[in-house]
Amino acid sequence: MESLEFIQEILRHLDYFWVTVLMAIESSFIPFPSEIVIPPAAWRAANGELNVLLVVLFATIGCNIGALVNYYLAKYLGRPVVYRFAESRVGRLCLLSREKVERAEAYFQKNGAISTLVGRLIPGIRQLISIPAGMAGMPLGPFLLYTTIGAGAWNVVLAALGYFLGANQELLIAYSKTIGLSIAGIVVVILIGLYFVKRRRTSLQK
């Protein structure tokens, strides 16, 4: 109860430091919804207490920190340990399960490195997509680039919703999921288009 009151107190007095910390937690394997962090901070920006661009910046920095925690833990602990943790009591307390990790790993294997970008916009995948990236030994540079773009896009969506909708949680969650999936779809279409353009150019050069 005291910990819940402590979190509520933090959310009532959000600043850039706590936005960074909470988004780092949210982006790791610890369950913490970004919808209760960025929109209230953006709403404070709309009231002149914060700067909305800095809210997005520090939220994205926090996301990268949390993603790196997942990435390095998965990379150095390895697949068997990751799955044992997901099935453990502590893992269940973190709302992890073998099925969730398997779903994230399957998504990564199907879509490759770019899934660290697109996956950041998909509910149920976004917090865990760093784990299969670490297990697969994805190079750090591309991992950080794609994570930053994907997390940044998601944070922009939430900040915009919070800036204009305020603290209406039901609307925020409904719109954020719809817009996030829409952005993910647009990114996929663009990437497919670029792939075929590149393939066509290569065939013309031969």
Side-chain angles (χ1 to χ4, degrees):
M1 188 66 179
E2 290 181 1
S3 60
L4 179 60
E5 292 175 355
F6 176 67
I7 293 173
Q8 290 174 338
E9 186 65 19
I10 291 173
L11 293 175
R12 281 194 292 268
H13 300 89
L14 276 175
D15 57 18
Y16 303 123
F17 171 77
W18 283 114
V19 167
T20 305
V21 171
L22 293 176
M23 290 306 294
I25 294 172
E26 184 271 345
S27 194
S28 70
F29 55 85
I30 302 172
F32 198 89
S34 53
E35 288 86 354
I36 69 171
V37 179
I38 300 177
W43 181 242
R44 292 194 69 192
N47 293 326
E49 300 174 59
L50 297 173
N51 182 298
V52 70
L53 295 179
L54 290 179
V55 168
V56 172
L57 173 63
F58 284 103
T60 304
I61 291 172
C63 286
N64 279 343
I65 293 171
L68 284 171
V69 170
N70 281 0
Y71 173 88
Y72 279 113
L73 285 176
K75 182 176 182 178
Y76 290 112
L77 294 179
R79 192 172 185 272
V81 176
V82 169
Y83 274 96
R84 280 203 299 272
F85 176 75
E87 295 172 333
S88 69
R89 184 175 181 181
V90 176
R92 289 194 296 272
L93 288 174
C94 293
L95 301 185
L96 284 176
S97 66
R98 184 180 185 88
E99 291 73 21
K100 288 182 179 179
V101 178
E102 285 177 342
R103 187 163 65 246
E105 188 174 16
Y107 185 84
F108 182 86
Q109 291 173 348
K110 179 181 178 182
N111 298 283
I114 199 64
S115 62
T116 55
L117 188 163
V118 180
R120 300 291 308 189
L121 301 167
I122 301 176
I125 295 291
R126 55 187 310 274
Q127 289 93 344
L128 301 179
I129 196 62
S130 305
I131 294 176
M135 288 192 293
M138 180 180 175
L140 184 60
F143 171 77
L144 279 176
L145 175 62
Y146 292 146
T147 298
T148 299
I149 295 172
W154 177 256
N155 293 336
V156 166
V157 168
L158 291 182
L161 291 174
Y163 195 89
F164 294 109
L165 296 180
N168 192 323
Q169 287 294 315
E170 291 183 1
L171 280 177
L172 287 171
I173 292 172
Y175 281 120
S176 65
K177 287 182 178 179
T178 301
I179 296 175
L181 289 172
S182 299
I183 294 175
I186 292 170
V187 170
V188 169
V189 170
I190 291 173
L191 291 173
I192 292 174
L194 290 173
Y195 169 77
F196 281 109
V197 168
K198 183 178 179 180
R199 186 176 179 182
R200 179 172 175 77
R201 285 179 178 175
T202 303
S203 62
L204 290 174
Q205 290 173 355
K206 291 182 178 179

PDB file of all heavy atoms in Angstrom, residues 142-163:
ATOM      1  N   PRO A 142      22.539  -1.118 -34.528  1.00  0.00           N
ATOM      2  CA  PRO A 142      21.187  -1.202 -35.101  1.00  0.00           C
ATOM      3  C   PRO A 142      20.102  -1.372 -34.046  1.00  0.00           C
ATOM      4  O   PRO A 142      19.010  -0.822 -34.172  1.00  0.00           O
ATOM      5  CB  PRO A 142      21.266  -2.438 -36.011  1.00  0.00           C
ATOM      6  CG  PRO A 142      22.706  -2.553 -36.356  1.00  0.00           C
ATOM      7  CD  PRO A 142      23.446  -2.095 -35.131  1.00  0.00           C
ATOM      8  N   PHE A 143      20.411  -2.138 -32.992  1.00  0.00           N
ATOM      9  CA  PHE A 143      19.425  -2.336 -31.921  1.00  0.00           C
ATOM     10  C   PHE A 143      19.026  -0.998 -31.305  1.00  0.00           C
ATOM     11  O   PHE A 143      17.838  -0.707 -31.142  1.00  0.00           O
ATOM     12  CB  PHE A 143      19.986  -3.257 -30.843  1.00  0.00           C
ATOM     13  CG  PHE A 143      19.129  -3.343 -29.616  1.00  0.00           C
ATOM     14  CD1 PHE A 143      17.967  -4.104 -29.612  1.00  0.00           C
ATOM     15  CD2 PHE A 143      19.460  -2.638 -28.452  1.00  0.00           C
ATOM     16  CE1 PHE A 143      17.156  -4.164 -28.488  1.00  0.00           C
ATOM     17  CE2 PHE A 143      18.661  -2.700 -27.335  1.00  0.00           C
ATOM     18  CZ  PHE A 143      17.505  -3.467 -27.346  1.00  0.00           C
ATOM     19  N   LEU A 144      20.014  -0.175 -30.962  1.00  0.00           N
ATOM     20  CA  LEU A 144      19.717   1.119 -30.363  1.00  0.00           C
ATOM     21  C   LEU A 144      19.017   2.050 -31.343  1.00  0.00           C
ATOM     22  O   LEU A 144      18.111   2.798 -30.963  1.00  0.00           O
ATOM     23  CB  LEU A 144      21.002   1.777 -29.851  1.00  0.00           C
ATOM     24  CG  LEU A 144      21.508   1.300 -28.496  1.00  0.00           C
ATOM     25  CD1 LEU A 144      22.839   1.961 -28.167  1.00  0.00           C
ATOM     26  CD2 LEU A 144      20.491   1.590 -27.393  1.00  0.00           C
ATOM     27  N   LEU A 145      19.421   2.007 -32.618  1.00  0.00           N
ATOM     28  CA  LEU A 145      18.796   2.866 -33.621  1.00  0.00           C
ATOM     29  C   LEU A 145      17.320   2.534 -33.775  1.00  0.00           C
ATOM     30  O   LEU A 145      16.459   3.414 -33.688  1.00  0.00           O
ATOM     31  CB  LEU A 145      19.510   2.694 -34.965  1.00  0.00           C
ATOM     32  CG  LEU A 145      18.880   3.448 -36.157  1.00  0.00           C
ATOM     33  CD1 LEU A 145      18.909   4.951 -35.917  1.00  0.00           C
ATOM     34  CD2 LEU A 145      19.583   3.081 -37.455  1.00  0.00           C
ATOM     35  N   TYR A 146      17.018   1.245 -33.990  1.00  0.00           N
ATOM     36  CA  TYR A 146      15.627   0.841 -34.187  1.00  0.00           C
ATOM     37  C   TYR A 146      14.797   1.033 -32.917  1.00  0.00           C
ATOM     38  O   TYR A 146      13.625   1.439 -32.986  1.00  0.00           O
ATOM     39  CB  TYR A 146      15.560  -0.627 -34.635  1.00  0.00           C
ATOM     40  CG  TYR A 146      16.122  -0.877 -36.013  1.00  0.00           C
ATOM     41  CD1 TYR A 146      16.775  -2.068 -36.315  1.00  0.00           C
ATOM     42  CD2 TYR A 146      16.002   0.073 -37.013  1.00  0.00           C
ATOM     43  CE1 TYR A 146      17.297  -2.310 -37.576  1.00  0.00           C
ATOM     44  CE2 TYR A 146      16.513  -0.149 -38.285  1.00  0.00           C
ATOM     45  CZ  TYR A 146      17.160  -1.337 -38.554  1.00  0.00           C
ATOM     46  OH  TYR A 146      17.670  -1.575 -39.804  1.00  0.00           O
ATOM     47  N   THR A 147      15.391   0.753 -31.773  1.00  0.00           N
ATOM     48  CA  THR A 147      14.670   0.934 -30.508  1.00  0.00           C
ATOM     49  C   THR A 147      14.339   2.407 -30.292  1.00  0.00           C
ATOM     50  O   THR A 147      13.228   2.750 -29.874  1.00  0.00           O
ATOM     51  CB  THR A 147      15.508   0.410 -29.325  1.00  0.00           C
ATOM     52  OG1 THR A 147      15.728  -0.989 -29.490  1.00  0.00           O
ATOM     53  CG2 THR A 147      14.790   0.643 -28.003  1.00  0.00           C
ATOM     54  N   THR A 148      15.290   3.278 -30.590  1.00  0.00           N
ATOM     55  CA  THR A 148      15.073   4.715 -30.409  1.00  0.00           C
ATOM     56  C   THR A 148      13.957   5.224 -31.323  1.00  0.00           C
ATOM     57  O   THR A 148      13.084   5.982 -30.893  1.00  0.00           O
ATOM     58  CB  THR A 148      16.370   5.496 -30.691  1.00  0.00           C
ATOM     59  OG1 THR A 148      17.382   5.078 -29.772  1.00  0.00           O
ATOM     60  CG2 THR A 148      16.148   6.997 -30.532  1.00  0.00           C
ATOM     61  N   ILE A 149      13.977   4.788 -32.575  1.00  0.00           N
ATOM     62  CA  ILE A 149      12.946   5.233 -33.521  1.00  0.00           C
ATOM     63  C   ILE A 149      11.573   4.716 -33.098  1.00  0.00           C
ATOM     64  O   ILE A 149      10.589   5.469 -33.058  1.00  0.00           O
ATOM     65  CB  ILE A 149      13.277   4.762 -34.950  1.00  0.00           C
ATOM     66  CG1 ILE A 149      14.565   5.429 -35.438  1.00  0.00           C
ATOM     67  CG2 ILE A 149      12.120   5.092 -35.899  1.00  0.00           C
ATOM     68  CD1 ILE A 149      15.066   4.883 -36.760  1.00  0.00           C
ATOM     69  N   GLY A 150      11.504   3.413 -32.783  1.00  0.00           N
ATOM     70  CA  GLY A 150      10.221   2.833 -32.395  1.00  0.00           C
ATOM     71  C   GLY A 150       9.688   3.396 -31.099  1.00  0.00           C
ATOM     72  O   GLY A 150       8.512   3.773 -31.000  1.00  0.00           O
ATOM     73  N   ALA A 151      10.553   3.466 -30.081  1.00  0.00           N
ATOM     74  CA  ALA A 151      10.126   4.010 -28.790  1.00  0.00           C
ATOM     75  C   ALA A 151       9.783   5.488 -28.920  1.00  0.00           C
ATOM     76  O   ALA A 151       8.811   5.967 -28.318  1.00  0.00           O
ATOM     77  CB  ALA A 151      11.230   3.812 -27.751  1.00  0.00           C
ATOM     78  N   GLY A 152      10.581   6.217 -29.715  1.00  0.00           N
ATOM     79  CA  GLY A 152      10.305   7.644 -29.908  1.00  0.00           C
ATOM     80  C   GLY A 152       8.955   7.876 -30.554  1.00  0.00           C
ATOM     81  O   GLY A 152       8.203   8.770 -30.148  1.00  0.00           O
ATOM     82  N   ALA A 153       8.624   7.060 -31.564  1.00  0.00           N
ATOM     83  CA  ALA A 153       7.327   7.194 -32.233  1.00  0.00           C
ATOM     84  C   ALA A 153       6.182   6.933 -31.259  1.00  0.00           C
ATOM     85  O   ALA A 153       5.183   7.661 -31.226  1.00  0.00           O
ATOM     86  CB  ALA A 153       7.252   6.233 -33.417  1.00  0.00           C
ATOM     87  N   TRP A 154       6.318   5.871 -30.454  1.00  0.00           N
ATOM     88  CA  TRP A 154       5.292   5.546 -29.454  1.00  0.00           C
ATOM     89  C   TRP A 154       5.137   6.675 -28.434  1.00  0.00           C
ATOM     90  O   TRP A 154       4.028   7.059 -28.064  1.00  0.00           O
ATOM     91  CB  TRP A 154       5.656   4.241 -28.761  1.00  0.00           C
ATOM     92  CG  TRP A 154       4.729   3.816 -27.669  1.00  0.00           C
ATOM     93  CD1 TRP A 154       4.945   3.911 -26.327  1.00  0.00           C
ATOM     94  CD2 TRP A 154       3.430   3.236 -27.816  1.00  0.00           C
ATOM     95  NE1 TRP A 154       3.877   3.424 -25.630  1.00  0.00           N
ATOM     96  CE2 TRP A 154       2.916   3.006 -26.513  1.00  0.00           C
ATOM     97  CE3 TRP A 154       2.656   2.891 -28.919  1.00  0.00           C
ATOM     98  CZ2 TRP A 154       1.666   2.447 -26.301  1.00  0.00           C
ATOM     99  CZ3 TRP A 154       1.406   2.327 -28.702  1.00  0.00           C
ATOM    100  CH2 TRP A 154       0.926   2.112 -27.410  1.00  0.00           C
ATOM    101  N   ASN A 155       6.267   7.234 -27.999  1.00  0.00           N
ATOM    102  CA  ASN A 155       6.224   8.304 -27.008  1.00  0.00           C
ATOM    103  C   ASN A 155       5.594   9.571 -27.575  1.00  0.00           C
ATOM    104  O   ASN A 155       4.902  10.301 -26.860  1.00  0.00           O
ATOM    105  CB  ASN A 155       7.636   8.602 -26.487  1.00  0.00           C
ATOM    106  CG  ASN A 155       8.202   7.444 -25.683  1.00  0.00           C
ATOM    107  OD1 ASN A 155       7.452   6.629 -25.144  1.00  0.00           O
ATOM    108  ND2 ASN A 155       9.518   7.345 -25.620  1.00  0.00           N
ATOM    109  N   VAL A 156       5.847   9.834 -28.851  1.00  0.00           N
ATOM    110  CA  VAL A 156       5.212  10.986 -29.506  1.00  0.00           C
ATOM    111  C   VAL A 156       3.698  10.820 -29.522  1.00  0.00           C
ATOM    112  O   VAL A 156       2.944  11.764 -29.251  1.00  0.00           O
ATOM    113  CB  VAL A 156       5.758  11.171 -30.936  1.00  0.00           C
ATOM    114  CG1 VAL A 156       4.877  12.139 -31.733  1.00  0.00           C
ATOM    115  CG2 VAL A 156       7.191  11.696 -30.897  1.00  0.00           C
ATOM    116  N   VAL A 157       3.240   9.596 -29.841  1.00  0.00           N
ATOM    117  CA  VAL A 157       1.801   9.312 -29.850  1.00  0.00           C
ATOM    118  C   VAL A 157       1.188   9.579 -28.471  1.00  0.00           C
ATOM    119  O   VAL A 157       0.188  10.293 -28.343  1.00  0.00           O
ATOM    120  CB  VAL A 157       1.534   7.848 -30.275  1.00  0.00           C
ATOM    121  CG1 VAL A 157       0.079   7.458 -29.998  1.00  0.00           C
ATOM    122  CG2 VAL A 157       1.861   7.656 -31.744  1.00  0.00           C
ATOM    123  N   LEU A 158       1.798   9.020 -27.429  1.00  0.00           N
ATOM    124  CA  LEU A 158       1.260   9.185 -26.078  1.00  0.00           C
ATOM    125  C   LEU A 158       1.335  10.634 -25.617  1.00  0.00           C
ATOM    126  O   LEU A 158       0.414  11.126 -24.948  1.00  0.00           O
ATOM    127  CB  LEU A 158       2.026   8.295 -25.093  1.00  0.00           C
ATOM    128  CG  LEU A 158       1.824   6.786 -25.236  1.00  0.00           C
ATOM    129  CD1 LEU A 158       2.605   6.051 -24.148  1.00  0.00           C
ATOM    130  CD2 LEU A 158       0.350   6.410 -25.166  1.00  0.00           C
ATOM    131  N   ALA A 159       2.423  11.322 -25.971  1.00  0.00           N
ATOM    132  CA  ALA A 159       2.563  12.719 -25.571  1.00  0.00           C
ATOM    133  C   ALA A 159       1.512  13.589 -26.250  1.00  0.00           C
ATOM    134  O   ALA A 159       0.920  14.474 -25.620  1.00  0.00           O
ATOM    135  CB  ALA A 159       3.965  13.228 -25.909  1.00  0.00           C
ATOM    136  N   ALA A 160       1.267  13.325 -27.528  1.00  0.00           N
ATOM    137  CA  ALA A 160       0.252  14.094 -28.251  1.00  0.00           C
ATOM    138  C   ALA A 160      -1.134  13.861 -27.654  1.00  0.00           C
ATOM    139  O   ALA A 160      -1.916  14.806 -27.463  1.00  0.00           O
ATOM    140  CB  ALA A 160       0.265  13.718 -29.731  1.00  0.00           C
ATOM    141  N   LEU A 161      -1.430  12.599 -27.340  1.00  0.00           N
ATOM    142  CA  LEU A 161      -2.727  12.281 -26.740  1.00  0.00           C
ATOM    143  C   LEU A 161      -2.867  12.940 -25.371  1.00  0.00           C
ATOM    144  O   LEU A 161      -3.918  13.496 -25.044  1.00  0.00           O
ATOM    145  CB  LEU A 161      -2.886  10.765 -26.617  1.00  0.00           C
ATOM    146  CG  LEU A 161      -3.031   9.998 -27.936  1.00  0.00           C
ATOM    147  CD1 LEU A 161      -3.031   8.504 -27.683  1.00  0.00           C
ATOM    148  CD2 LEU A 161      -4.308  10.406 -28.657  1.00  0.00           C
ATOM    149  N   GLY A 162      -1.812  12.861 -24.556  1.00  0.00           N
ATOM    150  CA  GLY A 162      -1.861  13.477 -23.235  1.00  0.00           C
ATOM    151  C   GLY A 162      -1.972  14.985 -23.310  1.00  0.00           C
ATOM    152  O   GLY A 162      -2.668  15.605 -22.504  1.00  0.00           O
ATOM    153  N   TYR A 163      -1.292  15.575 -24.270  1.00  0.00           N
ATOM    154  CA  TYR A 163      -1.285  17.033 -24.428  1.00  0.00           C
ATOM    155  C   TYR A 163      -2.690  17.548 -24.740  1.00  0.00           C
ATOM    156  O   TYR A 163      -3.109  18.594 -24.235  1.00  0.00           O
ATOM    157  CB  TYR A 163      -0.326  17.413 -25.550  1.00  0.00           C
ATOM    158  CG  TYR A 163       0.050  18.871 -25.595  1.00  0.00           C
ATOM    159  CD1 TYR A 163       1.153  19.342 -24.883  1.00  0.00           C
ATOM    160  CD2 TYR A 163      -0.683  19.781 -26.343  1.00  0.00           C
ATOM    161  CE1 TYR A 163       1.511  20.675 -24.917  1.00  0.00           C
ATOM    162  CE2 TYR A 163      -0.338  21.117 -26.391  1.00  0.00           C
ATOM    163  CZ  TYR A 163       0.758  21.565 -25.675  1.00  0.00           C
ATOM    164  OH  TYR A 163       1.100  22.895 -25.707  1.00  0.00           O
TER     165      TYR A 163
END
